[in-house]
Amino acid sequence: MPLVRISHRSGASEAYRQALSDGIQEAMAGTVNVPPDDRFHILTEHAAGLIFDAHYLGIERTPDWVAIQITLRRGRTVEMKQALYRRIAENLARNPGLRAEDILVCLVENDLADWSFGNGEAQYVR
């Protein structure tokens, strides 16, 4: 049920955008128990508006910097979250070739009643 928002600079190919989505989805399925077909991703290109500190916490970022915000149900352990971050970095390094330093991931947790997948209903609340 995660909702994933991926922000990247403009001019990316469709293959690049698909690789971002695929790499993140595989990482979620492999580390935080997200079903492989539970994919709701919003990819947004930015010609301007990606403002970031290129040196924050001693991490050297480039203009290829990507921000990933994942909204998901509360309940994953710290270890699961750390595994997710590592797996995303590994997957996106492999394809589309992002540096780990250029990947920011932010998790936003909520509860089952906070989701409606359509029909004006909270499907997970009975």
Side-chain angles (χ1 to χ4, degrees):
M1 82 176 66
L3 175 63
V4 179
R5 294 182 174 274
I6 306 163
S7 297
H8 60 88
R9 68 183 179 146
S10 63
S13 69
E14 186 57 36
Y16 176 91
R17 294 165 56 82
Q18 189 66 53
L20 290 176
S21 179
D22 290 346
I24 295 165
Q25 187 68 24
E26 189 284 328
M28 291 189 306
T31 60
V32 295
N33 302 321
V34 172
D37 62 342
D38 186 355
R39 187 183 301 219
F40 295 91
H41 295 187
I42 300 167
L43 285 82
T44 307
E45 291 190 7
H46 299 272
L50 286 178
I51 300 170
F52 61 95
D53 188 318
H55 313 289
Y56 184 68
L57 296 178
I59 300 169
E60 299 300 315
R61 294 167 192 82
T62 72
D64 291 330
W65 180 77
V66 172
I68 303 162
Q69 182 181 51
I70 303 172
T71 302
L72 71 169
R73 180 181 42 83
R74 190 177 323 279
R76 275 59 176 210
T77 66
V78 170
E79 293 78 18
M80 291 171 83
K81 293 174 185 180
Q82 290 175 329
L84 173 65
Y85 305 145
R86 281 190 302 273
R87 186 85 154 258
I88 288 172
E90 291 166 1
N91 287 352
L92 299 186
R94 193 168 26 261
N95 188 20
L98 279 175
R99 299 167 58 247
E101 297 89 345
D102 287 328
I103 302 168
L104 177 139
V105 180
C106 176
L107 301 183
V108 179
E109 296 180 306
N110 61 20
D111 294 311
L112 292 176
D114 298 317
W115 294 90
S116 173
F117 288 89
N119 297 328
E121 303 172 13
Q123 284 79 8
Y124 290 118
V125 178
R126 306 272 181 227

